[in-house]
Amino acid sequence: MKFSYDVIVVGAGHAGCEAAAAAANLGSETLLITMDMNKIAQMSCNPAVGGIAKGQIVREIDALGGYMGIVTDRTAIQFRMLNRSKGPAMWSPRAQSDRAQFIRNWREILENIPHLYIWQDLVYELIIENKTLQGVRTRMGVEFRAKSVVLTNGTFLNGLLHIGKTQLRGGRMAEPAATGLTEQLIQLGFRSDRMKTGTPVRIDGRSVHFEEMGEQPGENDFHQFSYLDSVHRELRQLSCWTTYTNESCHDILREGLPYSPLYNGQIQSIGPRYCPSIETKIVTFADKTHHQLFLEPEGETTHEYYLNGFSSSLPIDIQIRALQAIPAFRDLQIYRPGYAIEYDFFDPTQLSHTLETKQIANLFFAGQINGTTGYEEAGGQGLIAGINAHIRCHGGEPFTLGRDEAYIGVLIDDLVTKGVDEPYRMFTSRAEYRILLRQDDADMRLTEKAYALGLAKQDRYDLLQKKKKYRDELISFVENYSVKPAEMNEGLEQLGTAPLTHGCKLVDLALRPQVKLSDLANLTPALRLELEKIPQKRRDEIMEAAEILLKYSGYIRREQQIADKISRLENIRIKDKFDYSTIQSLSTEARQKLQKINPETIAQASRIPGISPSDINILLVLLGR
């Protein structure tokens, strides 16, 4: 048994798993400490991965050599591509996973990564000697030494569960809270606060009248989360189901409001606006007579279902009575009620872009400890923290991602620059370059970076190079191959698009909104032959990638030009160059916020809320620009 490591990761949720895997795969001797080895990568809320903007993050994690996408594909019981009616910048993959299989897959992966070890225990204290981080102490009385530590404590720091008036200390239902770390970090000068989130009731599917619900089947085309062609969906695919609340349900919920921790003063912490509880919905949207609910399976073989849209901390009897007023749930049986949870988090402006804390060198935070919510946001942070924890041990340039390179870059920049005033969730609207950050090309953006780092392995790199070759050859063919009206017009009319009056390049037809490359392949034998050069299992993926670049090339080029202009400001470094408190020409708010954040670059300074263009101009003048 070893008691000294390069990197220690505290917590085996989605951030901790990615952090530990990244550090170990890069060569660091890594220890992952978790309270329960049977709950590794537990999906505390909905057993689903992805969704709007979140799906893009998972594809980025996969492109960088992380595991969330691989595990999701292997354990998916339903897959859908959301936002298909919009442009490809908005397409977002989402999968429902088998909760138990997800844990099993993650544990199998972690136990087979060289240099990675697991210890079941609870960390209550950091070991700091001479103002230098040395390791951690656990409840069992064990001291583990390390060069870097990554804290990924999720909702466990002083976690408190609420079900009506009942309060239970814990990080999740039936799991203990973690104490000691928050208090120590506050003594060390860290700023902490409380957040709140919630989870819905879990329903026994045998008591549900599915015949009175709408069925929502999944999709079974080539899309998935991982770019690796060796990974695919293995489990039986299941449907989700939809129904609605009604006025009778709302009346019962209103009866319970005086007993709701959210409305009787029991909960004071910050909750999410974008994922409101059912009691918040009936108060905020009092004019609405119904709200949609989604009943989603928890696994391939279980009867347990998750009721999306009915997050609640009301007393158990109120929750059950309100649900029984919905026809499909009139004979309702539940496995457990919904509940709210309060927990500690730390102001993420206390971090650098590597997710290392500014107060203590070699200490990293990732996941909900930074005020975020969601498995995907946690996984993305964990990957970056694990990479940089390894680099801190062995040397090398810090690894960060720009806002024009990845949603993960947007996420981390938002956290460390702006902080949070509610649990942070990623949306496509947060990314100013979302045409560049599509889900289809995360591998093109990030895999070469990960390969240079040593995280993406040779097979992934080779797969990328082949994809790029096939894609570019297909684009070149479409741009250069000529067609005549006689060959195409009958087919074009069937597609509902104007016939040709003269010959043209195939690309001119591919640019039409009504026409897809697959349509042109049916009309053009030469294009069919070109597509047959691509391995069949990759053909649809590569054809989609080529089609997006062809149809949206103008938009992509324009956005890249804007990103390139802004990146000039990213190259003007200002960290530690000013004592902002002495620059009287800056506004008082600017002095205070710049002093607090100490931004790395002019571009980061410009994104701090309250910093005006005139403040930025003053800094540029002082720099002699």
Side-chain angles (χ1 to χ4, degrees):
M1 179 71 189
K2 297 196 307 181
F3 295 93
S4 182
Y5 298 86
D6 294 319
V7 176
I8 290 175
V9 178
V10 180
H14 303 277
C17 288
E18 293 290 0
N25 278 326
L26 288 169
S28 281
E29 294 294 304
T30 304
L31 179 66
L32 176 61
I33 303 178
T34 175
M35 284 194 280
D36 190 344
M37 289 175 61
N38 297 312
K39 298 286 180 64
I40 284 173
Q42 167 72 299
M43 304 175 97
S44 309
C45 203
N46 193 349
V49 171
I52 307 303
K54 292 168 171 279
Q56 283 88 326
I57 291 176
V58 181
R59 298 220 85 189
E60 290 172 355
I61 291 170
D62 183 75
L64 287 165
Y67 290 98
M68 183 178 279
I70 292 170
V71 174
T72 302
D73 286 335
R74 287 176 179 167
T75 62
I77 51 178
Q78 189 192 85
F79 184 93
R80 296 176 68 208
M81 184 66 74
L82 306 182
N83 274 348
R84 283 184 186 269
S85 62
K86 299 180 180 178
M90 306 296 283
W91 296 351
S92 301
R94 181 190 186 274
Q96 200 75 19
S97 280
D98 183 305
R99 185 190 299 275
Q101 295 276 12
F102 196 91
I103 292 170
R104 195 173 299 121
N105 267 263
W106 253 116
R107 179 165 170 176
E108 182 181 342
I109 285 169
L110 294 173
E111 288 193 17
N112 287 284
I113 295 177
H115 312 293
L116 177 55
Y117 307 89
I118 302 174
W119 177 257
Q120 184 167 296
D121 203 345
L122 188 149
V123 170
Y124 75 93
E125 186 179 17
L126 300 172
I127 301 172
I128 297 173
E129 297 172 358
N130 299 321
K131 298 183 179 181
T132 303
L133 182 67
Q134 300 288 345
V136 301
R137 291 190 180 95
T138 76
R139 281 277 172 84
M140 288 188 191
V142 183
E143 289 191 3
F144 290 106
R145 297 281 165 156
K147 299 171 186 174
S148 293
V149 172
V150 185
L151 296 184
T152 68
N153 304 81
T155 59
F156 283 80
L157 293 177
N158 293 317
L160 183 63
L161 280 58
H162 299 264
I163 309 170
K165 291 182 179 179
T166 302
Q167 294 181 319
L168 304 169
R169 297 202 172 275
R172 280 190 294 250
M173 185 64 76
E175 296 179 60
T179 58
L181 276 175
T182 295
E183 294 74 13
Q184 182 189 19
L185 289 167
I186 289 172
Q187 286 181 350
L188 291 167
F190 285 87
R191 297 185 302 278
S192 177
D193 206 337
R194 299 279 279 172
M195 275 189 176
K196 169 261 169 189
T197 188
T199 190
V201 60
R202 302 305 198 273
I203 290 175
D204 186 335
R206 293 170 296 182
S207 68
V208 175
H209 292 271
F210 288 101
E211 72 277 5
E212 299 189 32
M213 305 186 79
E215 187 171 6
Q216 194 177 57
E219 300 168 357
N220 197 28
D221 64 6
F222 69 93
H223 288 105
Q224 58 181 41
F225 278 103
S226 181
Y227 290 95
L228 296 176
D229 55 13
S230 58
V231 178
H232 57 275
R233 293 191 282 281
E234 301 168 4
L235 304 184
R236 182 166 58 96
Q237 299 300 288
L238 303 175
S239 290
C240 294
W241 303 83
T242 61
T243 189
Y244 294 87
T245 60
N246 54 41
E247 291 183 331
S248 297
C249 171
H250 293 187
D251 289 340
I252 297 167
L253 292 170
R254 288 189 192 96
E255 280 178 38
L257 287 179
Y259 310 102
S260 168
L262 289 174
Y263 288 95
N264 63 14
Q266 191 172 307
I267 291 178
Q268 298 289 330
S269 51
I270 309 163
R273 281 180 299 123
Y274 45 78
C275 188
S277 66
I278 191 65
E279 48 264 50
T280 301
K281 288 179 185 178
I282 64 166
V283 171
T284 306
F285 309 105
D287 58 320
K288 301 291 184 185
T289 58
H290 62 273
H291 295 284
Q292 190 170 27
L293 305 176
F294 298 86
L295 192 65
E296 301 171 337
E298 294 256 340
E300 183 185 23
T301 58
T302 180
H303 294 296
E304 188 176 357
Y305 281 79
Y306 175 99
L307 189 60
N308 200 339
F310 204 88
S311 177
S312 178
S313 57
L314 285 163
I316 295 173
D317 62 317
I318 298 290
Q319 292 187 41
I320 292 173
R321 283 175 51 217
L323 286 169
Q324 286 177 334
I326 299 169
F329 300 140
R330 60 183 176 270
D331 297 316
L332 183 76
Q333 289 287 326
I334 69 171
Y335 287 100
R336 75 158 191 247
Y339 63 89
I341 179 168
E342 291 184 282
Y343 56 94
D344 297 336
F345 78 99
F346 290 86
D347 179 358
T349 62
Q350 299 169 104
L351 306 173
S352 70
H353 281 79
T354 61
L355 297 180
E356 184 177 17
T357 66
K358 295 175 181 176
Q359 285 93 327
I360 299 177
N362 302 333
L363 176 63
F364 297 79
F365 291 174
Q368 286 182 273
I369 193 173
N370 291 335
T372 64
T373 182
Y375 314 140
E376 305 82 1
E377 290 88 342
Q381 292 173 72
L383 188 68
I384 299 302
I387 291 169
N388 285 297
H390 162 83
I391 290 170
R392 275 302 240 156
C393 296
H394 302 282
E397 287 297 311
F399 184 80
T400 59
L401 295 169
R403 296 181 71 91
D404 61 335
E405 292 177 313
Y407 271 94
I408 296 172
V410 175
L411 162 67
I412 293 174
D413 185 63
D414 278 353
L415 292 175
V416 305
T417 302
K418 302 174 183 177
V420 292
D421 56 10
E422 63 176 324
Y424 181 102
R425 178 180 182 173
M426 180 53 72
F427 297 106
T428 50
S429 58
R430 295 192 191 273
E432 57 268 52
Y433 306 119
R434 55 183 174 270
I435 297 175
L436 301 181
L437 307 183
R438 307 181 311 279
Q439 62 82 32
D440 68 277
D441 78 333
D443 55 344
M444 297 291 177
R445 291 184 272 121
L446 300 175
T447 294
E448 288 190 2
K449 290 177 181 290
Y451 180 71
L453 200 62
L455 195 56
K457 305 308 179 190
Q458 190 68 45
D459 59 337
R460 186 180 286 277
Y461 180 79
D462 291 344
L463 201 65
L464 171 71
Q465 297 308 313
K466 288 178 184 175
K467 177 181 175 180
K468 195 179 290 186
K469 171 181 175 290
Y470 287 130
R471 182 202 65 183
D472 292 348
E473 287 176 352
L474 178 56
I475 289 173
S476 177
F477 178 87
V478 172
E479 288 177 334
N480 292 289
Y481 187 79
S482 298
V483 292
K484 297 177 180 178
E487 302 171 284
M488 309 299 294
N489 280 351
E490 183 179 349
L492 292 175
E493 288 174 3
Q494 289 175 358
L495 294 170
T497 187
L500 296 175
T501 56
H502 52 77
C504 68
K505 299 293 185 185
L506 207 51
V507 67
D508 296 322
L509 296 175
L511 295 177
R512 295 185 180 186
Q514 310 92 331
V515 180
K516 296 182 178 179
L517 280 184
S518 56
D519 298 324
L520 294 177
N522 291 332
L523 301 176
T524 315
L527 178 56
R528 260 197 320 276
L529 289 172
E530 187 68 22
L531 287 169
E532 286 173 8
K533 296 177 183 177
I534 303 170
Q536 188 168 3
K537 60 184 175 183
R538 312 282 323 270
R539 195 173 298 160
D540 289 336
E541 175 195 2
I542 290 166
M543 188 159 56
E544 180 181 85
E547 186 163 30
I548 289 170
L549 290 184
L550 285 165
K551 285 187 183 294
Y552 296 90
S553 59
Y555 298 101
I556 294 169
R557 232 181 353 257
R558 184 175 65 187
E559 196 155 278
Q560 188 63 62
Q561 288 169 353
I562 295 169
D564 290 343
K565 287 179 182 177
I566 296 297
S567 71
R568 296 171 198 163
L569 295 180
E570 298 285 4
N571 294 327
I572 304 175
R573 310 203 66 78
I574 58 171
K575 185 176 176 65
D576 298 327
K577 286 192 176 181
F578 298 109
D579 178 357
Y580 296 105
S581 63
T582 66
I583 306 176
Q584 296 302 312
S585 49
L586 293 172
S587 67
T588 302
E589 182 180 13
R591 290 200 300 273
Q592 292 171 347
K593 291 189 170 178
L594 288 166
Q595 194 73 20
K596 175 186 171 185
I597 305 294
N598 191 14
E600 297 278 346
T601 66
I602 283 286
Q604 187 192 355
S606 72
R607 293 191 289 271
I608 298 173
I611 304 300
S612 68
S614 63
D615 294 323
I616 297 300
N617 284 335
I618 288 165
L619 295 179
L620 288 170
V621 168
L622 291 172
L623 286 166
R625 300 274 175 170

